[in-house]
Amino acid sequence: MNNPISDQSRRIVVLGTGGTIAGSSAKAGANVGYTAGTVPVTALLEGFSAPDGFELHVEQVAQIDSKDMDFTTWRSLHERCQYWLAQDDVAALIITHGTDTIEETSFFLHSTLNATKPVVMTCAMRPATSTNPDGPQNLRDAITVASSPDATGVVIVCASEIHGAKEISKTHPYRLNAFNSGDAGPIGYVEEGRVRLVRQWPQEAHVSTAISLPAADNWPRVDIVLSHAGTRGEIVNALIREHQENHTDAAAGIILGATGNGSLHQSLEQAGLAARDAGIEVLVATRCIAGHIIPSLSEKLPISVDLSPVKARIALLLKLISKDHK
Ligand code: SIN
């Protein structure tokens, strides 16, 4: 799918949301123990020039540590993306974001935007005040991807790799190349200012991009409960009780984080079945970081074949929102 960039559609809009890329530390050069989301996105881009034929336009949408990502921020980020993508002179978006939940925000945007232009998310593992920050190179690589003529869809650029929103997970707490896309691998690489693609740019998501997102307070609650050695059903049973007692913020959905090929501890499976019978939407997703669940047709609960628990949660959240707001 070609990105229709005309002569006048040449702005690359950079939306800042915080993260380590915008982090700073009082301790000169420190790479840990800093505060994420303190340096304005305009400052991150100081000294950067746009590629020939493009202009950079910068907007601060949020300034947070992405561990604290919330529905209010997602909703305003979604609104700003929709706004800018609709402008004829905008060729691409870049979003600076923390690494901790970039896999969630990217999947949320992939699922809700009609991203026929590139939406390039980038981040850093070291704060802006580090002696050797990785953010500036990642930003440069993101600009390369954003200005690449065929690029499309929501992608994540970090440590010279380009990942798809559906496949990416953060798999390392410290290394600069902290991300992995499992069996799929990266979409491509950025090498000396050039994109080398090894598979297709992301296809548009099948989730309704016409979704209308309600005010953040009205998003349904979807919780994740992991299956593990010695699991007991109590957490799910507590969610069922809240649901039956009509608590205002009772969970409308539960993701069961399964072991291996979708298997659940028997006590969690029993609780999951009871939750489903009580009217809570239950979905099973594997804890394994690579591969898909291969359905056996003997599953008692619905499964998400190819999403991690955190992404299955977003898929269920959006399904519940669409159901409530038809
Ligand atoms: C964050 O996710 O905002 C902090 C951690 C990071 O960006 O690496």
Side-chain angles (χ1 to χ4, degrees):
M1 196 189 323
N2 280 334
N3 176 29
I5 299 176
S6 70
D7 279 349
Q8 70 288 41
S9 59
R10 297 271 134 186
R11 267 197 298 178
I12 297 174
V13 177
V14 186
L15 304 175
T17 71
T20 292
I21 191 166
S24 61
S25 173
K27 218 162 136 211
N31 288 332
V32 290
Y34 53 85
T35 307
T38 59
V39 181
V41 64
T42 40
L44 300 182
L45 283 156
E46 255 162 40
F48 275 67
S49 46
D52 283 350
F54 292 91
E55 259 174 55
L56 296 176
H57 177 88
V58 180
E59 183 177 298
Q60 191 82 49
V61 176
Q63 187 62 297
I64 60 171
D65 185 322
S66 83
K67 72 179 173 54
D68 298 324
M69 186 49 69
D70 53 28
F71 296 157
T72 304
T73 310
W74 271 1
R75 194 167 181 264
S76 45
L77 181 60
H78 180 263
E79 188 275 317
R80 296 318 290 153
C81 288
Q82 273 195 320
Y83 171 81
W84 286 116
L85 287 172
Q87 308 307 309
D88 288 342
D89 69 328
V90 169
L93 307 185
I94 292 176
I95 302 171
T96 57
H97 195 287
T99 60
D100 284 346
T101 57
I102 200 168
E103 70 200 70
E104 295 178 54
T105 302
S106 60
F107 184 68
F108 163 69
L109 294 176
H110 165 77
S111 304
T112 53
L113 290 175
N114 185 19
T116 52
K117 299 173 184 177
V119 177
V120 185
M121 300 191 69
T122 193
C123 51
M125 291 297 286
R126 293 179 180 162
T129 51
S130 165
T131 317
N132 293 299
D134 53 329
Q137 186 61 49
N138 288 344
L139 252 178
R140 244 172 242 117
D141 289 345
I143 293 172
T144 297
V145 174
S147 56
S148 171
D150 296 326
T152 180
V154 181
V155 295
I156 303 91
V157 171
C158 186
S160 307
E161 296 173 348
I162 309 167
H163 292 271
K166 190 165 175 211
E167 300 88 16
I168 190 171
S169 307
K170 185 174 180 182
T171 53
H172 203 285
Y174 177 74
R175 283 189 201 140
L176 301 189
N177 60 341
F179 295 97
N180 197 295
S181 283
D183 292 346
I187 290 169
Y189 302 90
V190 187
E191 295 162 342
E192 297 297 319
R194 300 177 87 94
V195 170
R196 178 165 64 87
L197 223 53
V198 293
R199 57 187 181 87
Q200 277 194 320
W201 293 106
Q203 301 303 299
E204 280 166 53
H206 295 295
V207 178
S208 169
T209 46
I211 194 165
S212 123
L213 297 171
D217 286 352
N218 294 330
W219 287 32
R221 175 172 155 203
V222 179
D223 284 348
I224 301 175
V225 183
L226 274 194
S227 189
H228 51 80
T231 316
R232 294 160 26 154
E234 268 85 345
I235 296 176
V236 172
N237 292 338
L239 296 175
I240 298 172
R241 267 195 309 280
E242 284 186 2
H243 184 81
Q244 287 170 334
E245 289 164 7
N246 289 323
H247 284 215
T248 38
D249 190 31
I254 304 175
I255 302 299
L256 300 179
T259 39
N261 196 44
S263 55
L264 295 168
H265 191 290
Q266 52 184 336
S267 60
L268 190 59
E269 185 175 70
Q270 286 314 311
L273 289 165
R276 184 200 58 188
D277 293 345
I280 301 176
E281 288 253 11
V282 179
L283 187 61
V284 176
T286 183
R287 293 171 12 180
C288 292
I289 61 160
H292 288 182
I293 294 181
I294 302 166
S296 67
L297 302 179
S298 65
E299 289 87 9
K300 298 188 183 127
L301 288 163
I303 51 173
S304 170
V305 169
D306 57 357
L307 295 179
S308 64
V310 289
K311 291 182 190 177
R313 174 176 174 272
I314 294 165
L316 183 51
L317 195 62
L318 295 174
K319 178 181 162 192
L320 291 165
I321 289 175
S322 316
K323 217 156 103 184
D324 287 352
H325 293 84
K326 275 223 170 107

